[in-house]
Amino acid sequence: MEPAGGGFSEDQFREACAELRRPALPGASWELLLEALGISIYGLLDQQTGLCEYKVYGVLDNCLPDVLADVYMDLDYRKQWDEYIEELYQLEYNGDTVVYWQVKYPFPMYNRDYVYIQQRRDLDLNGWKIHVILAQSTSVPQIAERSGVVRVNQYKQSLAIESDGKKGSKVFMYYFDNPGGLIPSWLINWVAKGSVPVFLNDMANACQRYKRRT
């Protein structure tokens, strides 16, 4: 995990765009894990940690790309529709937007918290608008670890969104985190695999309410 500063490169944003247009699932390493609610989830097992990286592709109907990107970035609104949030806020540090995110875990497990830099770019590729949001674990002196909460030091996410040509959004998401503690890796993988389509569906539903709010 690196201290905040410097943000993301142009290549990282363009890699997410490329995945949206042409999925990169080389060889037999990436395994199709789940297809549900219009979403396909692929997993790649990390032999050292026993945890999976995930790539998610799909379409969210009746959710316009700019609204979906705004909903994802609107932390105050997310507190209203994401029931697993214990605490969520952002601050500026060395020119970067740094997010603190604490997630509720069921008893007897400790909550997990994340500190990460996040950047959004709205790109125009040959007249086609693509929203890209990148996030990665970092550390800042203002956000110390808390007693009774496990800090997640390995977290990375990419999200790319474009129009599906109708009234919905075509999406690509890359996701990895290591929640640490004594949770078995098989349980972490099982929960992550099932929670991603639910989260995307909840976010699509939140888009409808967001449009009415604004």
Side-chain angles (χ1 to χ4, degrees):
M1 182 179 61
E2 298 294 331
F8 300 95
S9 70
E10 182 72 17
D11 285 346
Q12 288 174 289
F13 283 96
R14 294 196 172 273
E15 285 172 9
C17 290
E19 284 269 14
L20 183 62
R21 292 297 183 86
R22 183 176 297 175
L25 299 165
S29 298
W30 287 92
E31 177 186 358
L32 178 62
L33 302 176
L34 184 67
E35 288 185 304
L37 303 173
I39 301 295
S40 298
I41 302 177
Y42 293 83
L44 176 64
L45 183 65
D46 183 308
Q47 298 296 335
Q48 288 187 331
T49 64
L51 301 176
C52 281
E53 303 172 58
Y54 297 95
K55 289 184 176 182
V56 183
Y57 306 89
V59 172
L60 299 180
D61 295 325
N62 299 313
C63 187
L64 295 173
D66 56 338
V67 176
L68 182 60
D70 288 347
V71 166
Y72 187 87
M73 295 293 292
D74 190 333
L75 302 188
D76 287 334
Y77 182 49
R78 184 170 174 181
K79 295 173 189 177
Q80 298 178 33
W81 61 265
D82 188 341
E83 63 180 311
Y84 296 103
I85 288 176
E86 179 68 29
E87 187 175 354
L88 182 65
Y89 65 87
Q90 70 181 40
L91 55 84
E92 297 298 316
Y93 182 76
N94 284 350
D96 289 323
T97 297
V98 178
V99 177
Y100 176 81
W101 173 35
Q102 186 180 149
V103 181
K104 297 175 184 176
Y105 268 56
F107 181 82
M109 293 184 287
Y110 292 117
N111 285 359
R112 264 56 179 175
D113 66 1
Y114 301 71
V115 178
Y116 58 92
I117 56 172
Q118 180 172 268
Q119 289 185 9
R120 171 180 172 176
R121 293 273 303 277
D122 298 329
L123 305 177
D124 188 327
L125 300 181
N126 301 317
W128 203 252
K129 190 173 183 179
I130 301 179
H131 308 278
V132 181
I133 302 166
L134 304 180
Q136 183 170 307
S137 292
T138 190
S139 61
V140 296
Q142 295 96 323
I143 309 178
E145 295 189 24
R146 303 182 182 185
S147 176
V149 180
V150 177
R151 176 64 49 89
V152 176
N153 291 317
Q154 293 177 278
Y155 169 71
K156 186 176 181 181
Q157 186 173 36
S158 305
L159 179 65
I161 308 165
E162 68 175 350
S163 172
D164 68 347
K166 301 175 184 177
K167 295 182 179 180
S169 295
K170 182 180 177 183
V171 300
F172 159 72
M173 178 186 286
Y174 168 87
Y175 183 85
F176 175 80
D177 82 18
N178 182 352
L182 301 177
I183 307 173
S185 59
W186 68 265
L187 180 58
I188 296 170
N189 292 333
W190 180 77
V191 171
K193 180 179 71 175
S195 63
V196 169
V198 173
F199 170 77
L200 290 174
N201 185 64
D202 287 348
M203 187 163 61
N205 290 334
C207 285
Q208 306 305 313
R209 299 190 294 273
Y210 194 76
K211 287 192 292 186
R212 289 196 293 271
R213 284 179 0 122
T214 57

